Amino acid sequence: MKKNTLVIGASLKPQRYSHIAIKRLRQHNHEVKAIGLKSGKVADVTIDTELMSYKNIDTVTLYLNPQRQKTYYDYILGLHPERVIFNPGTENSEFYNLLKQNNIDYEAACTLVLLSTGQY
């Protein structure tokens, strides 16, 4: 099943995991939206620099450390995703609790591993 995915912390740098994840998600035919500090394109995905009111986001995958996530709490909760993936280095128990209170699933996992093992 294809999942509309929002990558937060998207980077134009090819060596960054968020960049690789966008490419892999597209290779698996998932719809991808992306937010990052610099606008540009990765594959056919435009990186937005502002918080957009995207519709029907199934999964948010995070590439921001816990301190930088704080400014996105309300935004992510407002998107009502089915789940949030906390990639390695982004684990955040404070945010886990907020997601749980809002009935949003979360997992500490690697998007790239989930895709490569068919668990995405």
Side-chain angles (χ1 to χ4, degrees):
M1 190 169 91
K2 303 302 170 216
K3 301 200 182 297
N4 289 337
T5 301
L6 173 59
V7 176
I8 297 182
S11 175
L12 295 171
K13 296 177 181 174
Q15 69 273 25
R16 297 283 190 177
Y17 287 115
S18 62
H19 186 101
I20 298 166
I22 291 169
K23 287 183 167 181
R24 289 272 168 80
L25 286 160
R26 291 301 297 130
Q27 287 168 359
H28 284 82
N29 296 314
H30 294 286
E31 286 294 318
V32 179
K33 303 292 185 197
I35 295 176
L37 293 176
K38 294 183 180 169
S39 62
K41 269 193 178 276
V42 175
D44 61 344
V45 177
T46 300
I47 298 176
D48 294 312
T49 56
E50 295 180 20
L51 304 183
M52 310 294 282
S53 10
Y54 303 116
K55 301 288 181 227
N56 304 316
I57 296 294
D58 297 303
T59 301
V60 173
T61 184
L62 293 173
Y63 290 92
L64 294 175
N65 71 48
Q67 274 307 112
R68 295 200 46 226
Q69 291 170 24
K70 288 179 186 290
T71 57
Y72 292 89
Y73 288 178
D74 290 337
Y75 172 69
I76 293 169
L77 294 172
L79 292 173
H80 307 289
E82 289 181 28
R83 69 174 171 169
V84 176
I85 297 172
F86 290 82
N87 287 278
T90 67
E91 299 87 351
N92 181 344
S93 56
E94 178 180 72
F95 199 12
Y96 296 166
N97 290 331
L98 284 172
L99 292 167
K100 202 180 302 180
Q101 289 167 19
N102 286 272
N103 299 312
I104 298 171
D105 290 331
Y106 63 88
E107 57 187 305
C110 176
T111 297
L112 297 174
V113 171
L114 294 173
L115 286 166
S116 68
T117 57
Q119 299 178 74
Y120 192 79

